Amino acid sequence: MARHTCALVRFLNHIFAVKCFGENFTQREKDLMRVAGMMHDSRKSGSDEDFQKNKYTRFNHPLLASEVIRNLKGHELSDDEVEMIATTIESHMGEWNTDKRSSTVLPLPTDKFQKILHLVDYLASRKDIEVLFNGYETSNTTPSLDTYILTFGKHNGEKLTDVAHTDPSYISWAKENITREPLRTLLTKI
């Protein structure tokens, strides 16, 4: 989640750096957008009590996060600024504003703040866009092929080399679809 949020704010900064986009926002609006970006998934798993019971994403998390923003006390934001941050967060899911397991319908983005936050959230969530965090990585070395353990999917917890022997079709699928490192590099060695 931290990487996603950092990537989202980076995308915001890149968009603001492009004159034809950045000139549409005051410096204060840019800062408020960064706040909205940092807080947009702050209730991804609901309240602290919800998180203790179930760590999965709550569909209504944008509404929960915006409620927290609206209830903040002791800040130096105007009521209009608080509302701008809250409504921007509420609509960050964009066109994915309904869920078959919920009767909640999230608002669609309508203004420039909401549309930009939705766009950068979308970009930051794409698996085929790699955002580098130079200086923040724990390791720049590729792990050993013989000891690498998968951390996702149906083979979660299994050695990559064992999966290559037991489920070669999965490895073929992975070679075509997985783009994140270090797995991409390791797959070329199998």
Side-chain angles (χ1 to χ4, degrees), residues 146-161:
D146 298 325
T147 60
Y148 186 80
I149 306 291
L150 293 170
T151 58
F152 60 89
K154 69 180 183 178
H155 293 290
N156 186 12
E158 297 179 43
K159 279 184 169 181
L160 181 59
T161 51

Side-chain angles (χ1 to χ4, degrees), residues 20-31:
C20 68
F21 293 108
E23 67 188 6
N24 294 313
F25 299 89
T26 67
Q27 188 57 51
R28 181 70 171 179
E29 289 172 338
K30 291 175 186 177
D31 289 342

Side-chain angles (χ1 to χ4, degrees), residues 58-63 89-110 118 121:
R58 298 272 307 260
F59 175 71
N60 66 337
H61 74 275
L63 302 177
I89 290 171
E90 284 175 343
S91 63
H92 82 264
M93 294 298 291
E95 63 195 79
W96 295 280
N97 68 328
T98 61
D99 185 299
K100 61 184 170 202
R101 296 174 301 250
S102 174
S103 61
T104 301
V105 177
L106 301 172
L108 290 168
T110 56
H118 170 56
D121 182 49

Side-chain angles (χ1 to χ4, degrees), residues 1 5 15 46 50 65 67 99 114 127 142 154 172 177 186:
M1 190 57 54
T5 302
I15 288 172
D50 293 334
E67 181 180 324
D99 185 299
Q114 296 166 4
K127 301 298 183 215
T142 303
K154 69 180 183 178
S172 297
N177 293 287
L186 289 174

Side-chain angles (χ1 to χ4, degrees), residues 55-183:
K55 294 170 180 47
Y56 293 104
T57 297
R58 298 272 307 260
F59 175 71
N60 66 337
H61 74 275
L63 302 177
L64 298 173
S66 65
E67 181 180 324
V68 169
I69 296 296
R70 286 187 177 105
N71 291 319
L72 287 176
K73 303 292 182 220
H75 54 73
E76 296 186 23
L77 301 173
S78 71
D79 290 345
D80 288 343
E81 290 173 332
V82 169
E83 192 59 21
M84 183 275 255
I85 293 169
T87 58
T88 300
I89 290 171
E90 284 175 343
S91 63
H92 82 264
M93 294 298 291
E95 63 195 79
W96 295 280
N97 68 328
T98 61
D99 185 299
K100 61 184 170 202
R101 296 174 301 250
S102 174
S103 61
T104 301
V105 177
L106 301 172
L108 290 168
T110 56
D111 66 27
K112 66 182 183 179
F113 309 111
Q114 296 166 4
K115 289 176 182 179
I116 292 289
L117 186 65
H118 170 56
L119 173 63
V120 295
D121 182 49
Y122 175 81
L123 292 172
S125 69
R126 300 301 87 196
K127 301 298 183 215
D128 61 336
I129 299 176
E130 186 174 0
V131 177
L132 302 177
F133 293 91
N134 295 338
Y136 299 101
E137 296 299 320
T138 55
S139 172
N140 288 331
T141 60
T142 303
S144 167
L145 177 64
D146 298 325
T147 60
Y148 186 80
I149 306 291
L150 293 170
T151 58
F152 60 89
K154 69 180 183 178
H155 293 290
N156 186 12
E158 297 179 43
K159 279 184 169 181
L160 181 59
T161 51
D162 291 344
V163 174
H165 295 294
T166 61
D167 193 352
S169 63
Y170 184 78
I171 298 300
S172 297
W173 172 86
K175 285 181 178 181
E176 293 175 17
N177 293 287
I178 295 179
T179 60
R180 66 178 175 243
E181 292 295 351
L183 193 51

